Amino acid sequence: HKFFYQPNIFISANTSIQTSIFQMKVAAALALTATLASAFAPIAVPFTRLSTSLNMAVTTAQIKELREATGAGMMDCKKVLAEFDGDVEAAAEELRKKGLAKADKKASRVAAEGKIAVASSGGKTVLVEVNCETDFVAKDGSFADFADKAAAAAANLDGDSVEALMAAS
């Protein structure tokens, strides 16, 4: 017997021509599929750092210092310190800018829920409205206690303005 080599297929000289042609078509289809699969495979891109700040280790002392100065969260402090190569002053300024942006976003929200508390003291009765953003907060016991304490403080106040109440607290 003579054998002819085709990719992944050995064809015997005694095999019928139709079987040989079928085996060659299968081999060609497999080769084409392998070629197409490798053509659409993702290309490996080498990892490069865009910033040198990630190469520098941020110390826990720097994070602690920034947290004490700004009151920001630990991960926020760590990210900003890494971004600014450990410069605490620049990181604090960046956190301040981010904080102002967050405050602007929150300022546009409507505080449509809340509680009206009533308190009397010395022949004077006051109504105090304390607002919040959600009904879940309005129903909370600590929020109701706060509203009652604010009303009691307003009732015991000598003045009759919001500024006097804020100055007393």
Side-chain angles (χ1 to χ4, degrees):
H1 291 295
K2 290 185 178 178
F3 289 94
F4 303 99
Y5 178 75
Q6 290 290 326
N8 299 327
I9 297 177
F10 287 101
I11 302 172
S12 168
N14 292 337
T15 333
S16 71
I17 298 223
Q18 288 179 338
T19 306
S20 297
I21 292 173
F22 174 74
Q23 288 176 344
M24 285 191 272
K25 286 181 181 178
V26 169
L30 288 173
L32 181 62
T33 304
T35 304
L36 289 175
S38 64
F40 292 107
I43 299 170
V45 177
F47 178 75
T48 56
R49 294 185 187 269
L50 299 176
S51 170
T52 59
S53 64
L54 295 176
N55 293 330
M56 182 189 157
V58 176
T59 65
T60 55
Q62 290 173 317
I63 295 171
K64 181 180 177 186
E65 180 184 351
L66 186 58
R67 285 193 71 196
E68 289 173 354
T70 62
M74 184 185 74
M75 290 308 295
D76 290 333
C77 291
K78 184 177 179 180
K79 287 177 187 175
V80 173
L81 279 169
E83 184 179 331
F84 285 94
D85 292 325
D87 185 3
V88 177
E89 289 79 24
E93 180 66 22
E94 179 67 16
L95 284 173
R96 186 187 66 78
K97 289 177 185 176
K98 286 182 180 180
L100 290 176
K102 287 181 183 178
D104 286 343
K105 287 180 186 176
K106 289 184 179 184
S108 65
R109 293 194 232 168
V110 176
E113 301 294 329
K115 181 179 183 202
I116 296 176
V118 180
S120 295
S121 177
K124 178 167 83 171
T125 303
V126 296
L127 295 171
V128 175
E129 178 184 14
V130 181
N131 293 328
C132 59
E133 293 178 5
T134 66
D135 61 333
F136 298 108
V137 174
K139 294 176 185 176
D140 186 50
S142 62
F143 182 80
D145 290 342
F146 171 74
D148 291 337
K149 287 179 183 177
N156 292 326
L157 189 66
D158 289 333
D160 61 351
S161 69
V162 175
E163 291 80 19
L165 177 62
M166 295 301 285
S169 60

